[in-house]
Amino acid sequence: MENSIIKNIKEIKDFKKRNFEESIEIGINLKDIDMADPKNRINEEIILPAGRGRELKVAVIASEEMRLKAKNADYLYSVEDLNNFSDDKKSFKKVVKNIDFFVAESTLMGNIGKNLGIILGPRGKMPKPLPPGQDPSILIDNLKKSVRARSKDKITFHIPVGTKSMKDEDLYTNLNTVIKRVISHLDKGKGNIASAYIKSTMSKAITINLGDIE
């Protein structure tokens, strides 16, 4: 018997096709949780086993040695670039808009936090620190397959799980991974979830049966 969530994914794909690649996301409605308390909020980065279905952009801020190793990064920034960004925060905001994740050499994190944290922090884009000399390529590859699950202080939040062109089974695998990760952070597990649904960029939302999460 076919899993009901895979049936839901097929339904989403049957909605009118658009002339662009639509994202598919899961929406989660929480209950019986005080979201005013920061410790109850969800703030996770989750690696999707089947990937994002689209290309994510990763930037590295580091010494020349680390930048040379970061062959799979999309953007490379030096200490000099970092200082320039600190002096011109308006232009840095434009840079941040086009980048999904940042990686930085750990020795630069103090500088970044002090001068650029006001921009990166609220956007959930503070860099992942790496020790000097470490090869960042594995971390970059993982980030390119990652999503952020951030509830902030809201009981309803959304997490991307892929795109319409991905295989049904891959979307289910990603969705399953995301839901289980969120559940693991809730005191009452599934008992803290009022409902969950999936939708594409332009489709209506379809409620899913959490009983079919493996």
Side-chain angles (χ1 to χ4, degrees), residues 5-118:
I5 296 177
I6 291 184
K7 285 184 179 178
N8 297 149
I9 290 170
K10 292 180 187 295
E11 288 179 66
I12 291 292
K13 288 188 172 184
D14 284 340
F15 279 95
K16 181 179 177 182
K17 287 183 169 58
R18 308 288 173 167
N19 59 359
F20 65 93
E21 177 70 291
E22 292 184 66
S23 294
I24 292 182
E25 63 182 27
I26 180 170
I28 299 174
N29 298 310
L30 301 176
K31 65 178 181 179
D32 303 328
I33 298 178
D34 178 13
M35 301 304 284
D37 186 343
K39 74 178 178 61
N40 291 330
R41 299 173 190 172
I42 306 294
N43 187 13
E44 288 288 314
E45 279 168 12
I46 305 168
I47 298 173
L48 300 182
R52 284 288 300 264
R54 71 177 184 87
E55 187 178 351
L56 297 190
K57 303 296 184 182
V58 178
V60 173
I61 306 173
S63 64
E64 183 178 7
E65 180 186 2
M66 184 176 285
R67 295 199 310 275
L68 287 172
K69 294 176 181 177
K71 292 181 169 53
N72 51 346
D74 300 283
Y75 301 94
L76 297 171
Y77 297 115
S78 65
V79 176
E80 184 179 352
D81 292 322
L82 175 58
N83 293 333
N84 290 336
F85 289 147
S86 299
D87 292 335
D88 187 358
K89 292 181 174 60
K90 187 174 181 180
S91 68
F92 184 62
K93 285 182 180 179
K94 294 178 181 177
V95 169
V96 172
K97 193 178 293 186
N98 297 317
I99 296 171
D100 297 284
F101 292 100
F102 286 83
V103 174
E105 205 155 345
S106 57
T107 52
L108 301 177
M109 288 299 293
N111 185 339
I112 293 169
K114 179 182 177 181
N115 294 300
L116 301 176
I118 193 170

Side-chain angles (χ1 to χ4, degrees), residues 100-163:
D100 297 284
F101 292 100
F102 286 83
V103 174
E105 205 155 345
S106 57
T107 52
L108 301 177
M109 288 299 293
N111 185 339
I112 293 169
K114 179 182 177 181
N115 294 300
L116 301 176
I118 193 170
I119 297 170
L120 294 168
R123 293 165 175 78
K125 294 186 179 182
M126 282 298 289
K128 307 289 168 283
L130 279 179
Q134 186 167 326
D135 186 343
S137 56
I138 293 176
L139 175 58
I140 293 168
D141 280 339
N142 285 337
L143 290 174
K144 285 175 177 280
K145 296 185 292 185
S146 296
V147 290
R148 284 191 186 86
R150 295 184 81 207
S151 64
K152 300 184 180 178
D153 59 351
K154 311 298 182 187
I155 60 169
T156 299
F157 58 103
H158 304 87
I159 310 165
V161 294
T163 58

